[in-house]
Amino acid sequence: MTAEIICVGTELLLGQIVNTDAQYLGRKLSAMGIDMYHQTVVGDNEARLLAALDEAFHRSDVIILTGGLGPTSDDITKETVAKYLGLSLHMHEGSLKRMRRRFQHMAQPMVKANLKQAMIPGGARVLDNDKGTAPGCILEEKGKTFIILPGPPFEMEDMFDKRVAPYLAGRTGEEIVSRVLRIYGIGESALEEELEDLIEGQTNPTIAPYAGTGEVTLRLTAKAGTAEEANALLDPLEARIRDRLEDRVYAMGEETLDKLAARLLMEENVTFALAESCTGGLLASKLVDNPGISQVFLEGLVTYSNESKVKRLHVSPETLDYNGAVSAKCAEEMAEGLLETSGAELALSVTGVAGPGGGVDAKPVGLVFIGMAQKGEETKVHQLYLTGDRRRVQNGAMLHAFDWVRRRILGLPEDRNC
Amino acid sequence: MTAEIICVGTELLLGQIVNTDAQYLGRKLSAMGIDMYHQTVVGDNEARLLAALDEAFHRSDVIILTGGLGPTSDDITKETVAKYLGLSLHMHEGSLKRMRRRFQHMAQPMVKANLKQAMIPGGARVLDNDKGTAPGCILEEKGKTFIILPGPPFEMEDMFDKRVAPYLAGRTGEEIVSRVLRIYGIGESALEEELEDLIEGQTNPTIAPYAGTGEVTLRLTAKAGTAEEANALLDPLEARIRDRLEDRVYAMGEETLDKLAARLLMEENVTFALAESCTGGLLASKLVDNPGISQVFLEGLVTYSNESKVKRLHVSPETLDYNGAVSAKCAEEMAEGLLETSGAELALSVTGVAGPGGGVDAKPVGLVFIGMAQKGEETKVHQLYLTGDRRRVQNGAMLHAFDWVRRRILGLPEDRNC
C-alpha cells in the first residue's frame, strides 16, 4: 500500500508556517510500514489542487490531504475533492451539533461561515474533531482512499492518532511493532559508533537513531505476521542495547525526561520546588504539564533579579558580590534557601548564562550551574558547559536537571554527565 | 516569473526531519514577489525525481532543488538533473580546491566519495558553499532555470542569501512591499467579516489574514515599479484597516504580544513581577527571552500549591477555603501580595483551570482569572473563558495578560477582551 500527502495552504507556500503536518504523517506512516514516495504542497487554488489530486490518484493508493477545512472562502479542500470525484456535499447533522455545542461552550457566536465546515462529501466516513471545529473524513472511491484532515497540527495529530491510524492498521496485513528507547547522556554520533555492529546490515528488526535537542531516541522496528512474532524479534535486540547503554536509557516510548521526573516525584511522593534563573520558568512550565503534579510540586521561583534571590531564597549578598549570580556558590545557596523557604523535601536551582549576551571569558555563554538540596543530604552542584543558542542552552540545562532528579530518586550515579 | 521547489530526501518523507528549507525558500521568494505555487518532496529515487522535474519543467520558470548533494550513492540530485537535461558532469577544479582546503582546515581526511560533490553539470554556474562541502549550481537550459542547493538548512540558507537572491533579484523588474499587521482581540472569521468589503475583489494590494493560536495577522502586499509606489498603494489601505480595528492592531511586523509587552516595560522602566498558577511559568519564560529584560523583570513565581500562595504572596487561607484558588478574589490577593512582596511597580497574577482535568461545572476548564495590581492604582481582575486544550488555554491567558500590560502602559481601555 502506498500513500502520499497533499498539504493545502497558501500560508505553507509563503513560508508563514513550517510544514510539521507532513513530518508527523511521514513518521507515522513509516512506522506503520506504509510506503510514502511523494509529498506535495499546493495553495488554496482549485485548479492546482485538482491537478495535484489527479497526479496522486494515478500513483498512490491512499491520498491524505491536510488543511483547507476552515470557514473562509479560501478553504476549498473538501469542495475540490468532491468535485474531482464527482460527489456533492451535504450537511452532516452530527458535526453541526458538535460544532454548535463547541461554540456554546466557548460562549462565542457561531457565524454563518462556520456552517460550511459541517458539509461533507456524499458517502464519506466522518472523522470527529475533538480539538477544533472542522470534522475530517475518509472517502473510498474508484479504488482509492482519500483522507481529509484539518491543517492545525494539534487537531490533525489528534484526529490521525485516534481515527485514521486504526483505520489504516485495519488495511495492512502485516504487524509492525516499534519500540522507542529514549537515551540521555550520549550524542548521536557516539551512540552510532557504540552500536555500529548492531546497526550495520540491519533489515528486520531495524534500528533508527534520531537526535532531538539534547536527547537521542532509538526506534527499533520489526515486521512479522503477528505482533507476538515481531516482539520476539525485538526482545533480544533491546536487551543487547540496554546492556551497552546501561542507565543512559531512561525510558521507552513517549515519556520524555521531564515527564519521567514528574512521574517519579509523584510516585515517590517527594515534594519538590524549583528556583530558576537563566531557564526563566522553563522547568516549571514543563513540570506543571503533568496532571496530578500539584500533589508534590509546591512552587517554582524565577528569581531573575539579585534582589529576588536575596529576598526569596536568602542568597547572601556577599555571594552575589564576590562569586556572582552565575556561580556554584550561588546555585548552592539558591537550592538550600529554597529547601528552607519552600518546605519541599527536594529543591533544585538553575543559574547560568543562556546567551546570546552576557557571556564573558571567565563565564562564557553555556556555563550553567545546577544545585540540588535535599533534607538530610549534602547539597551538590553540577557545573555544565552547554553549546548552542539560547534555546539549546536552556533545554540542555533542563534535561540535565530532570535527569538528575531521576538519578536521585532511583539511586543511580549522579555525576555521569557533567 | 513563477518558481517551485523540489526537496529531495527520503529522510523528509520518513518525517525524520521537518522541512524548514521549504519554509525558508517560501518566505524569501514571496518577499521577492516571485510566485510559488508548488512544493514537492521526493525521496532519493531517480525515476521519481525525473518525473518531478518533468512536471515542474512544464509549469514553472524557476525550479529550485534542495538536498541530495552529499557524498553517498543515495545523493543523486545533480546527476538526475543532468540526465533530465541531457548534460554530462565534469569535475569543477575550483570546488575541488575549496573542498580540499576545507578538509585540511578541519584536520579530517577527505575520502574518495567526497570527489563526487565537486562534479558539476556542463554549462552550470557554480555556487560556492561557505558552510559545507557541496557546491550548488544554477543551470539555464531550454528556457528554464534550475537552481540546485544543498539540503542542510544552514548551508542552503547561506548560499541562497549570498548567491541566489541577488541572481533572482536581477531577473525580476518589480518591487514588492509587504506589511504585516498583528491583531489581538478578534477571531479570524469575525475579522474577515469586518473587512469583507476590503478583502473582496482585492488584487493590488492584497490582504491575507492568517490565524495563529489566539492572535491574527493581516499581510498587506503591493506590487509596483518602485518601493515608493508600492508603499503609496499600502498607506491608504493600512489606514482604513487601522480605523476599523482601532487598538486591536497592536503591532506591525514580527513583534509578538510578549515581545511588545517586554519592550514597553523596558522603555517605560516599569519594574514587573509575575505570579502564575495555571500557566506554570509560561509568561515568565516568554519574558526572559527578551534581552535586557532583567532591568525591569524582578521575579516570577509559580505558586502552584496553596501553601506557596499563602507563604509567598500572603493570600489569605480564608480566600482559598471559601473562594478557592481559581477565583477573582484569589487572583486579586495574589497580585496585591506580589506587588507588596516583590517590590515591583506592576504585578500580574494568573490563576485558572487549564485542563485537561480539574474542571467542574462552576469552574470549567478554560476559566482563568488575571489580576493586575499597581502602586497607586486600584487592583483589577479580568475573568476569561478560554477554549481549546491545555496549551491553548495557557496561551490564551498569556496573550490576554500581555495585551493587558500593553493597554495599561499605553493608557488604552482595559476591559475590551474579557
Side-chain angles (χ1 to χ4, degrees):
Chain A
M1 188 159 75
T2 61
E4 74 174 273
I5 302 176
I6 301 176
C7 300
V8 186
T10 301
E11 69 278 14
L12 288 166
L13 292 179
L14 295 176
Q16 289 169 349
I17 52 173
V18 65
N19 194 350
T20 57
D21 283 353
Q23 180 187 27
Y24 190 85
L25 292 172
R27 210 187 295 163
K28 291 285 171 164
L29 293 173
S30 91
M32 297 176 79
I34 296 173
D35 291 321
M36 200 236 300
Y37 298 128
H38 298 90
Q39 290 172 2
T40 310
V41 178
V42 289
D44 307 312
N45 174 284
E46 190 188 84
R48 285 188 285 270
L49 179 51
L50 283 171
L53 284 167
D54 197 48
E55 268 166 35
F57 183 85
H58 288 100
R59 66 191 178 195
S60 299
D61 304 315
V62 175
I63 298 126
I64 303 181
L65 296 107
T66 63
L69 305 191
T72 76
S73 55
D74 278 356
D75 295 300
I76 56 162
T77 303
K78 279 180 309 188
E79 291 80 350
T80 310
V81 172
K83 182 170 182 176
Y84 178 71
L85 293 170
L87 302 170
S88 58
L89 293 164
H90 64 271
M91 177 61 68
H92 184 254
E93 293 299 332
S95 295
L96 188 62
K97 252 193 210 158
R98 280 177 73 93
M99 210 184 292
R100 281 197 207 285
R101 268 205 309 273
R102 194 174 173 83
F103 278 96
Q104 233 162 30
H105 179 77
M106 299 192 296
Q108 274 181 18
M110 184 169 139
V111 297
K112 223 178 63 192
N114 289 115
L115 289 178
K116 121 189 200 345
Q117 298 188 282
M119 300 289 286
I120 298 291
R125 172 192 310 220
V126 173
L127 303 171
D128 288 340
N129 186 340
D130 295 339
K131 303 285 178 185
T133 49
C137 62
I138 299 177
L139 277 160
E140 292 174 356
E141 289 284 334
K142 304 183 181 169
K144 304 283 172 153
T145 302
F146 294 79
I147 301 176
I148 302 178
L149 302 174
F154 66 100
E155 298 181 26
M156 191 284 292
E157 294 171 9
D158 184 76
M159 193 182 286
F160 185 88
D161 289 348
K162 284 189 194 153
R163 311 213 156 92
V164 180
Y167 166 83
L168 290 173
R171 290 191 39 180
T172 61
E174 235 170 5
E175 287 288 341
I176 313 273
V177 178
S178 274
R179 296 180 192 172
V180 173
L181 296 181
R182 306 191 73 91
I183 295 148
Y184 177 72
I186 180 171
E188 190 187 12
S189 319
L191 178 68
E192 285 199 35
E193 265 184 44
E194 202 154 330
L195 303 180
E196 202 179 1
D197 57 313
L198 299 178
I199 292 176
E200 228 165 64
Q202 44 166 337
T203 50
N204 188 25
T206 58
I207 307 176
Y210 176 71
T213 35
E215 25 178 7
V216 183
T217 60
L218 278 180
R219 179 181 291 269
L220 318 182
T221 306
K223 292 191 191 191
T226 67
E228 243 179 4
E229 286 164 31
N231 275 312
L233 291 170
L234 291 174
D235 288 337
L237 179 64
E238 182 188 334
R240 287 183 72 179
I241 292 172
R242 282 186 182 270
D243 215 47
R244 293 201 198 167
L245 300 178
E246 298 178 320
D247 60 19
R248 290 174 295 184
V249 178
Y250 68 82
M252 207 161 100
E254 298 301 311
E255 192 170 50
T256 49
L257 265 175
D258 53 304
K259 290 199 188 314
L260 173 62
R263 178 168 63 77
L264 292 172
L265 289 167
M266 289 189 277
E267 280 176 7
E268 300 301 318
N269 205 24
V270 178
T271 54
F272 186 64
L274 278 168
E276 303 180 58
S277 191
C278 64
T279 46
L282 175 67
L283 280 68
S285 67
K286 287 284 179 181
L287 265 195
V288 306
D289 273 348
N290 294 279
I293 194 72
S294 58
Q295 294 165 44
V296 293
F297 180 46
L298 303 188
E299 61 182 11
L301 273 58
V302 182
T303 49
Y304 215 57
S305 65
N306 281 350
E307 295 83 331
S308 176
K309 291 184 182 76
V310 173
K311 197 187 288 187
R312 300 282 183 191
L313 301 174
H314 308 165
V315 171
S316 79
E318 291 71 35
T319 297
L320 293 170
D321 280 352
Y322 295 110
N323 306 75
V326 178
S327 65
K329 188 93 171 62
C330 183
E332 185 188 325
E333 291 186 15
M334 284 171 73
E336 289 184 343
L338 179 64
L339 191 73
E340 174 203 326
T341 57
S342 69
E345 190 187 327
L346 187 65
L348 191 135
S349 66
V350 187
T351 180
V353 188
V360 292
D361 276 358
K363 293 181 180 179
V365 170
L367 175 65
V368 174
F369 295 92
I370 301 183
M372 191 183 283
Q374 185 170 9
K375 280 183 188 156
E377 301 281 337
E378 191 195 344
T379 301
K380 287 185 187 164
V381 175
H382 284 178
Q383 176 169 357
L384 313 177
Y385 290 98
L386 299 164
T387 56
D389 61 9
R390 181 176 179 83
R391 191 68 56 196
R392 284 177 80 93
V393 169
Q394 291 179 328
N395 193 62
M398 176 184 78
L399 293 175
H400 186 94
F402 287 136
D403 188 56
W404 194 1
V405 170
R406 164 180 87 101
R407 291 174 177 278
R408 173 63 58 101
I409 294 180
L410 296 176
L412 298 170
E414 296 187 6
D415 50 358
R416 185 148 208 166
N417 309 309
C418 54
Chain B
M1 187 160 77
T2 61
E4 72 174 273
I5 302 176
I6 302 175
C7 300
V8 186
T10 300
E11 70 280 13
L12 288 166
L13 293 178
L14 295 177
Q16 289 168 350
I17 53 173
V18 66
N19 194 349
T20 57
D21 283 353
Q23 180 186 26
Y24 190 84
L25 292 172
R27 211 186 294 162
K28 292 285 170 162
L29 293 173
S30 92
M32 298 177 78
I34 297 173
D35 291 321
M36 201 238 300
Y37 299 128
H38 297 89
Q39 289 172 2
T40 309
V41 178
V42 289
D44 307 311
N45 174 285
E46 189 189 84
R48 284 189 284 271
L49 178 52
L50 283 171
L53 285 167
D54 197 47
E55 270 166 35
F57 183 85
H58 288 99
R59 66 190 178 195
S60 299
D61 304 316
V62 176
I63 298 125
I64 303 181
L65 296 106
T66 64
L69 305 192
T72 76
S73 56
D74 277 355
D75 295 300
I76 56 163
T77 302
K78 279 180 308 187
E79 292 80 351
T80 309
V81 173
K83 181 169 182 177
Y84 179 70
L85 294 170
L87 302 170
S88 58
L89 294 164
H90 64 272
M91 176 62 66
H92 183 255
E93 294 299 332
S95 296
L96 188 61
K97 251 193 211 160
R98 279 178 73 93
M99 209 185 293
R100 281 197 208 284
R101 270 204 308 273
R102 192 175 174 83
F103 277 97
Q104 235 162 28
H105 180 77
M106 298 192 299
Q108 274 179 22
M110 184 168 140
V111 297
K112 222 180 66 193
N114 289 114
L115 288 178
K116 124 188 197 352
Q117 298 189 280
M119 299 289 285
I120 298 291
R125 171 193 312 222
V126 173
L127 302 170
D128 287 341
N129 187 339
D130 295 339
K131 303 285 180 184
T133 49
C137 62
I138 298 177
L139 276 160
E140 292 174 357
E141 288 284 333
K142 303 183 181 169
K144 305 283 173 152
T145 303
F146 294 80
I147 301 177
I148 302 179
L149 302 174
F154 65 101
E155 297 180 29
M156 191 284 293
E157 294 172 10
D158 184 74
M159 191 182 287
F160 185 88
D161 289 348
K162 285 189 196 154
R163 314 214 152 89
V164 181
Y167 167 82
L168 290 173
R171 290 192 39 179
T172 63
E174 239 168 4
E175 286 286 341
I176 313 281
V177 178
S178 274
R179 297 181 190 172
V180 172
L181 296 180
R182 307 189 73 91
I183 295 149
Y184 176 72
I186 182 170
E188 189 187 12
S189 317
L191 178 68
E192 287 201 31
E193 270 186 35
E194 202 155 329
L195 303 180
E196 203 178 0
D197 56 314
L198 300 179
I199 293 176
E200 227 163 64
Q202 45 167 335
T203 49
N204 187 26
T206 57
I207 307 175
Y210 176 71
T213 35
E215 25 179 7
V216 184
T217 60
L218 278 181
R219 178 181 292 269
L220 318 183
T221 306
K223 293 191 191 191
T226 67
E228 244 178 5
E229 287 165 32
N231 275 314
L233 291 171
L234 290 175
D235 288 338
L237 179 66
E238 183 187 335
R240 287 184 73 180
I241 293 172
R242 283 186 182 269
D243 214 49
R244 292 202 197 165
L245 299 178
E246 298 179 320
D247 59 18
R248 289 174 295 185
V249 177
Y250 69 83
M252 209 161 99
E254 298 299 312
E255 190 171 51
T256 49
L257 265 174
D258 53 304
K259 291 200 189 311
L260 173 62
R263 178 168 63 77
L264 292 172
L265 289 167
M266 289 189 277
E267 281 176 7
E268 300 301 317
N269 205 22
V270 178
T271 54
F272 185 64
L274 278 168
E276 303 180 59
S277 191
C278 65
T279 45
L282 175 65
L283 280 69
S285 67
K286 287 284 178 181
L287 267 195
V288 305
D289 274 348
N290 294 279
I293 194 72
S294 58
Q295 293 165 43
V296 293
F297 179 46
L298 303 187
E299 61 181 14
L301 273 58
V302 182
T303 49
Y304 215 57
S305 65
N306 283 349
E307 294 82 335
S308 175
K309 292 184 181 77
V310 173
K311 196 186 291 186
R312 299 282 183 192
L313 301 174
H314 307 166
V315 172
S316 80
E318 292 71 34
T319 296
L320 293 169
D321 280 352
Y322 294 111
N323 304 74
V326 178
S327 65
K329 188 90 172 60
C330 183
E332 183 188 325
E333 292 186 16
M334 283 170 73
E336 291 185 342
L338 180 63
L339 191 73
E340 174 204 324
T341 56
S342 69
E345 189 187 327
L346 186 66
L348 190 136
S349 66
V350 187
T351 179
V353 188
V360 293
D361 276 358
K363 294 182 180 178
V365 170
L367 175 66
V368 173
F369 295 92
I370 300 184
M372 192 184 281
Q374 186 170 7
K375 279 182 190 158
E377 302 280 338
E378 191 194 344
T379 300
K380 286 184 187 165
V381 176
H382 285 177
Q383 177 168 356
L384 313 176
Y385 290 98
L386 299 164
T387 57
D389 61 7
R390 182 178 180 82
R391 191 67 56 197
R392 283 176 80 94
V393 169
Q394 290 179 329
N395 193 61
M398 176 185 77
L399 292 175
H400 186 92
F402 286 136
D403 188 57
W404 194 1
V405 169
R406 164 179 86 101
R407 291 174 177 278
R408 173 63 57 101
I409 294 180
L410 296 177
L412 298 170
E414 297 188 6
D415 50 359
R416 186 149 208 167
N417 308 310
C418 53

